């Protein structure tokens, strides 16, 4: 099974990377961009029963893969 | 006094910290990240660098190392722990200090001397800071922008846990004085119990006038003073 995890900066957190990317896109002529947020994408290949895997990945996201002070996460199992 | 200076893979300010403590006339030794004990340490320094390559997030992997479990226990028993730069990031990730350190607002790695204003001398890390005088200490980091939510910031202020602010040469905490865009210009904080403290600037690089400033001594000497006062209190 594969866990596909997306980690993004919380809305209230300053995201200078997102801002820099937004500026670059605007300089390139892309119009109408409201905001850009730069996050992380991870894939974890893992074996096990679906519910138990879901629980483990959720715990790992909370403890290590994201920092709850500054980041949100969501994931899906495939 | 015996200082333990932690060493993670890719720590790079550990030798400077050990040297600075020895220059001040105290004992200092390295403790490898796989060690499970701090042995007879009176105080712990979590030094700067790029522990575990800064992979995932700065300090995120270091916090799970065996030595950090010993540091958690040491801090829980009231031991003095000082984090410097990457050490600050590690202590935040470990939950020993509130908030987080994120990418500098300018996106630049900043390496320069800054002025620091001490907000309180009521801590083991700042008790010798002369009132009204600024400290001149270098920073060198790319991810030192202090962030915490409003409630945490309010609590830090109310409990006088903010130890140092970045300021200009007149002592004004202006936005341009913070090299990293830290909220409220925060450069260093301590925990509520006041035994765990940290700052992004490098006091260990400012302990000899030959290096441009010896103001960093005040931070280590404050720790020594706090430890001496504890010993005196225990003897009394």
């Amino acid at each position: 099974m594969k866990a596909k995890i997306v980690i993004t900066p919380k809305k209230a957190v300053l995201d200078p990377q997102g801002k820099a990317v937004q500026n670059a896109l605007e300089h390139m002529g892309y119009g109408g961009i409201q905001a850009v947020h730069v996050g992380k994408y991870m894939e974890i290949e893992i074996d096990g029963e679906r519910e138990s895997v879901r629980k483990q990945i959720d715990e790992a996201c909370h403890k290590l893969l994201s920092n709850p002070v500054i980041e949100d996460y969501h994931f899906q199992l495939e | 006094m015996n200082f333990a200076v932690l060493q993670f893979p890719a720590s790079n300010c550990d030798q400077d910290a050990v040297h600075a403590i020895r220059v001040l006339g105290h004992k200092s030794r390295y403790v490898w990240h796989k060690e499970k004990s701090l042995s007879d340490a009176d105080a712990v320094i979590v030094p700067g660098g790029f522990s575990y390559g800064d992979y995932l997030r700065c300090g995120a992997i270091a916090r799970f190392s065996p030595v950090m479990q010993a540091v958690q226990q040491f801090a829980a028993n009231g031991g003095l722990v000082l984090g410097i730069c990457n050490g600050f990031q590690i202590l935040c990730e470990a939950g020993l200090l509130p908030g987080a350190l994120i990418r500098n607002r300018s996106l630049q790695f900043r390496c320069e001397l800054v002025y620091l204003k001490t907000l309180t001398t009521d801590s083991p890390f700042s008790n010798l800071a002369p009132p009204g005088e600024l400290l001149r200490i270098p920073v060198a980091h790319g991810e030192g922008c202090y962030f915490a939510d409003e409630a945490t910031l309010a609590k830090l202020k109310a409990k006088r846990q903010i130890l140092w602010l970045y300021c200009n040469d007149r002592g004004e905490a202006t936005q341009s004085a913070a090299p990293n865009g830290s909220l409220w210009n925060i450069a260093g904080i301590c925990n509520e119990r006041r035994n765990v403290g940290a700052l992004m600037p490098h006091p260990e690089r400012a302990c000899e006038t030959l290096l441009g400033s010896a103001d960093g001594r005040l931070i280590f000497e404050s720790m020594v003073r706090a430890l001496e006062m504890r010993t005196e209190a225990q003897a009394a």
Side-chain angles (χ1 to χ4, degrees), chain B residues 113-125:
Chain B
L113 272 167
V114 296
Y115 287 102
L116 297 180
K117 183 179 189 168
T118 308
L119 287 197
T120 174
T121 52
D122 177 22
S123 88
F125 312 98

Side-chain angles (χ1 to χ4, degrees), chain B residues 131-152:
Chain B
E133 278 185 38
L134 305 178
L135 305 181
R136 191 100 165 108
I137 294 182
V139 292
H141 59 251
E143 286 166 308
C145 174
Y146 185 77
F147 175 86
D149 60 31
E150 287 291 329
T152 306

